Amino acid sequence: MTAMAPHIDVHRAGDRAKTRVSWLDSKHSFSFGEHYDPENTHHGLLLVNNEDIVLPGEGFDTHPHRDMEIVTWVLGGSLVHQDSLGHSGIIYPGLAQRMSAGTGILHSEKNDSWRIDGRVPEHDEPVHFVQMWVVPDEPGLSPGYQQLEIDDELASGRLVTVASGLPRYRDRAAIAINSSHAALHVARLAADSAPVELPEAPYLHLFVARGDVDVEGIGTLYQGDAVRLTHSGGQRVRPIGPAEVLIWEMHARLGGQ
């Protein structure tokens, strides 16, 4: 079988579509809502990579989802989650969280500006988070929810497997997703952290959630930048000061292998 040629596609932060209203500043890496571009609908199995900032006391009212694995990663502040399965909790930095929409689920996400120390509500801090959607293996699964705090693991500066359905990460992923071809890795890097290495995969999506990094063979990526890699991997990612990167490893794409 002939090996596929690697392909690298850098997407700069400023080129993302934007949704801005009085309480929300949202930036979309892919087509989302009214921002539709037939040339930018997904990469691998990743359909949504939204970076959101929500003002205190505001947020997304109850709304439905179906047949999607939704992973939310909070960078600053805290986000209150409630859903029709009875789950209710606060998502904060270092907490891995996944909602499987399956046959259908209703949920809301709001910034209540809850401080982590004592959970005392102080309505003065925006919540900053990235929400990512990947396609499950099949439609019509039972909806579900899972979360786990992994702050200690992130402090190592290594690549941490946050969410996965890939069998190879079954014993080390913090939470599971119903996609046997996808995994999310996160590295929270100090300025002096050793470089982390991208996994080898048919499809990779690297998003710089915080700070700036240098990627071997690609160059400098700044906060909000992303790179989509096809039939690639192995590049080292070096922090330029404190940084945080979100890396989706995918072994299939929407519509087939």
Side-chain angles (χ1 to χ4, degrees):
M1 182 180 293
T2 303
M4 300 292 290
H7 181 73
I8 295 171
D9 190 9
V10 175
H11 290 251
R12 296 299 180 184
D15 295 333
R16 293 175 292 177
K18 301 173 182 65
T19 298
R20 285 181 178 153
V21 294
S22 61
W23 55 273
L24 171 68
D25 181 358
S26 184
K27 301 178 180 68
H28 317 295
S29 295
F30 300 96
S31 292
F32 190 80
E34 64 183 26
H35 303 289
Y36 180 71
D37 177 357
E39 302 299 318
N40 185 35
T41 58
H42 68 284
H43 181 65
L45 296 168
L46 182 64
L47 276 75
V48 169
N49 187 89
N50 287 349
E51 181 182 3
D52 294 342
I53 297 175
V54 176
L55 293 182
E58 303 285 355
F60 301 95
D61 291 328
T62 302
H63 58 282
H65 288 288
R66 187 181 183 92
D67 291 327
M68 202 64 62
E69 298 294 294
I70 300 173
V71 179
T72 302
W73 187 254
V74 174
L75 298 165
S78 53
L79 189 69
V80 178
H81 167 96
Q82 293 181 311
D83 65 44
S84 53
L85 295 179
H87 300 114
S88 179
I90 298 171
I91 313 167
Y92 48 87
L95 185 80
Q97 186 257 19
R98 173 269 297 167
M99 186 180 75
S100 298
T103 54
I105 195 169
L106 299 170
H107 81 138
S108 64
E109 296 163 304
K110 295 193 174 183
N111 177 0
D112 228 5
S113 287
W114 287 77
R115 301 290 188 180
I116 303 307
D117 49 343
R119 300 287 190 260
V120 178
E122 297 180 6
H123 297 273
D124 63 352
E125 184 181 11
V127 58
H128 181 195
F129 62 98
V130 181
Q131 189 166 93
M132 299 153 283
W133 301 5
V134 294
V135 180
D137 288 337
E138 57 185 289
L141 298 171
S142 297
Y145 181 91
Q146 188 181 9
Q147 68 178 47
L148 183 70
E149 185 167 325
I150 56 171
D151 211 49
D152 289 345
E153 290 87 343
L154 291 165
S156 70
R158 297 189 297 268
L159 208 58
V160 177
T161 305
V162 170
S164 178
L166 282 165
R168 73 183 68 179
Y169 300 122
R170 183 174 292 123
D171 295 333
R172 76 185 207 207
I175 55 177
I177 55 175
N178 294 307
S179 180
S180 58
H181 299 288
L184 171 66
H185 311 282
V186 174
R188 184 182 290 170
L189 303 166
D192 58 352
S193 291
V196 296
E197 187 172 304
L198 296 180
E200 300 274 352
Y203 304 95
L204 292 170
H205 185 270
L206 184 156
F207 178 70
V208 184
R210 204 172 5 221
D212 306 327
V213 297
D214 182 79
V215 183
E216 185 179 12
I218 297 174
T220 301
L221 296 178
Y222 304 95
Q223 184 167 312
D225 286 353
V227 59
R228 304 174 193 181
L229 302 97
T230 306
H231 303 290
S232 188
Q235 296 91 340
R236 291 180 298 173
V237 180
R238 180 181 61 83
I240 305 172
E244 193 162 334
V245 293
L246 314 182
I247 300 163
W248 278 99
E249 172 189 349
M250 297 166 286
H251 294 261
R253 63 180 174 84
L254 191 64
Q257 297 288 342

